[in-house]
Amino acid sequence: MQMLYFGWVRQRIGVPAETVAPPDEVTDVDGLIDWLSGRSDAYAEALRNRDTLRVAVNQELCEFDAPVSVGDEVALFPPMTGG
Amino acid sequence: MQMLYFGWVRQRIGVPAETVAPPDEVTDVDGLIDWLSGRSDAYAEALRNRDTLRVAVNQELCEFDAPVSVGDEVALFPPMTGG
Amino acid sequence: MIRVQEDDFDVGAELERLSAEAKGSGALSCFVGLVRDFSGGEAVSAMTLEHYPGMTERQLGKIEAEARERWPLDAVLIVHRYGRLEPGERIVLVATASAHRKAAIDASSFLIDWLKTKAPFWKLEETPEGDRWVDADPEDTAAEERWIAREGKCGHG
Amino acid sequence: MIRVQEDDFDVGAELERLSAEAKGSGALSCFVGLVRDFSGGEAVSAMTLEHYPGMTERQLGKIEAEARERWPLDAVLIVHRYGRLEPGERIVLVATASAHRKAAIDASSFLIDWLKTKAPFWKLEETPEGDRWVDADPEDTAAEERWIAREGKCGHG
């Protein structure tokens, strides 16, 4: 699974992108975030507050209950500030 | 008194500007239009319908009851179509 | 700033000047009106704009002042052409600069609406059926009235 | 048309192309967003825009499509920059062409509002107090919600 991070999420996690292989129990974004948060304090800190997190799966915005699977591109980032 | 005409008012009257000397009884725009309308069929035709006429006295838009006097610049024209 | 001229204008250069004048503004909004090649179902080959020199400048100045009173603008520009113009040619430019994007956009929308009914221009169109004067559009008067109703209520928008 | 680029753009040339593409349109509306030298009470010496390549183009394409569905537009342009920009530099251009001035103006207002909350960009400001991320503005979300509420009701406006 290809992870991408932007904005302060990227900054706190420390890398802009990485390939991860979550266990089979991880089937949605919520589960993915929980699993990532267990990896280190940096992840836990970056992903703690879901109110300020946004998610895209395969470049489409989605909710935390969206399914994820091997081969997906999942991006986590703060609310967008375009324009 | 300096008269100016624009748009189809100018076209119907046939001149863009003229100096006129109305009699003393003419004290407002209404009276002025009545007096001008008596000069010829072209004036009468051009000034017949006050709903489609607009007036400026000394380059300020005003109503038909606005006073006019010697030395004023009075313009008669159709509704404006700027922009 | 207002300008009434027969010559064309360069939109990019005008906006460049506007943003130089309004250093620190985050938002520029602009509107350009062009001669259409069709109007009321008929082909238009040219349009001649007649105006009232002197009064035009006064009216544009008042329209600018009204916009500055209603919104926090760092710069305002109105350029209006007169004379004979062909389809595709620029007629008018309004542009505003503000720290706030909504103020800039609302103000330029206001400016073009008010020009329609308050700037002493008259338009003669050349069509295959002959020349004809463009009538005032009741929708323009309705737009003007909406702005009058909003007066004092718009604040920094 | 949409473009995402690091380089600056020439507003005059972009509008020229837009009006050439939209022959016969009577109205061009445009908005330019610039880097401000002040934000939240602090001097800003530069801003770096980070974006999500791929998704950005998709989102801008959807925003353009939504505008075209809501208004009768002859042409639409969105140009958005990324990278490090200094105060006064252009960040974004939206421009629309239509036969109707209200459609052109409302659509460009819509485009810039929707970019604020739907385009995957993040802004890092450099200030004397250090770098800081620009937070999403609740007013931008409110503006987005107003457009959602208007959906289907705006017609030719």
Side-chain angles (χ1 to χ4, degrees), chain A residues 4-8 10-11 55-56 58-61 73-75 77-83, chain D residues 50-52 54-55 58 62 80 91-92 115-123 133-136:
Chain A
L4 298 172
Y5 310 114
F6 296 98
W8 52 252
R10 169 184 59 69
Q11 203 172 40
V55 191
N58 299 324
Q59 304 190 356
E60 294 286 342
L61 282 176
E73 174 177 304
V74 180
F77 43 79
M80 297 172 278
T81 54
Chain D
E50 177 179 344
H51 80 117
Y52 183 170
M55 181 170 167
R58 288 167 80 122
K62 284 190 208 171
H80 207 307
I91 303 170
V92 63
L115 283 175
K116 292 280 168 187
T117 56
K118 291 178 185 288
F121 286 87
W122 299 275
K123 294 168 178 165
W133 292 97
V134 175
D135 280 331

Side-chain angles (χ1 to χ4, degrees), chain C residues 24-29 96-102 104, chain D residues 31-34 36:
Chain C
S25 276
L28 295 185
S29 176
T96 55
S98 175
H100 308 279
R101 79 176 181 283
K102 192 159 165 28
Chain D
F31 180 88
V32 181
L34 307 159
R36 289 160 66 176

Side-chain angles (χ1 to χ4, degrees), chain D residues 68-79:
Chain D
R68 286 181 179 275
E69 196 158 300
R70 289 176 177 233
W71 291 278
L73 303 175
D74 298 321
V76 176
L77 175 65
I78 305 173
V79 185

Side-chain angles (χ1 to χ4, degrees), chain C residues 75-152:
Chain C
V76 177
L77 175 64
I78 304 173
V79 184
H80 207 307
R81 293 176 71 191
Y82 59 88
R84 187 173 180 279
L85 303 176
E86 297 189 352
E89 283 200 80
R90 284 174 277 268
I91 304 170
V92 63
L93 168 71
V94 304
T96 55
S98 175
H100 308 279
R101 79 176 181 283
K102 192 159 165 28
I105 292 170
D106 285 356
S108 64
S109 172
F110 167 86
L111 288 169
I112 189 69
D113 279 350
W114 275 39
L115 283 174
K116 292 278 168 187
T117 55
K118 291 176 185 288
F121 286 86
W122 298 274
K123 294 169 178 165
L124 186 68
E125 288 175 341
E126 298 170 29
T127 81
E129 309 289 303
D131 293 354
R132 62 176 187 198
W133 291 98
V134 175
D135 280 331
D137 184 340
E139 279 190 29
D140 292 337
T141 306
E144 178 194 344
E145 282 163 4
R146 278 194 297 276
W147 287 114
I148 291 170
R150 271 185 64 175
E151 198 159 15

Side-chain angles (χ1 to χ4, degrees), chain B:
Chain B
M1 194 178 295
Q2 178 64 33
M3 297 300 307
L4 298 173
Y5 310 114
F6 296 98
W8 52 253
V9 175
R10 170 184 60 69
Q11 203 172 39
R12 289 180 193 171
I13 288 177
V15 295
E18 62 184 329
T19 303
V20 299
D24 290 349
E25 305 92 83
V26 169
T27 58
D28 63 10
V29 174
D30 257 324
L32 177 64
I33 292 174
D34 288 342
W35 176 75
L36 287 166
S37 300
R39 298 176 97 193
S40 80
D41 286 353
Y43 282 92
E45 169 64 19
L47 305 175
R48 191 176 43 185
N49 184 356
R50 284 175 210 197
D51 287 350
T52 60
L53 267 192
R54 298 291 180 272
V55 192
V57 175
N58 299 321
Q59 304 189 356
E60 294 286 342
L61 283 175
C62 58
E63 305 294 327
F64 292 103
D65 62 358
V68 293
S69 57
V70 177
D72 281 344
E73 174 177 303
V74 180
L76 298 172
F77 43 78
M80 298 172 278
T81 55

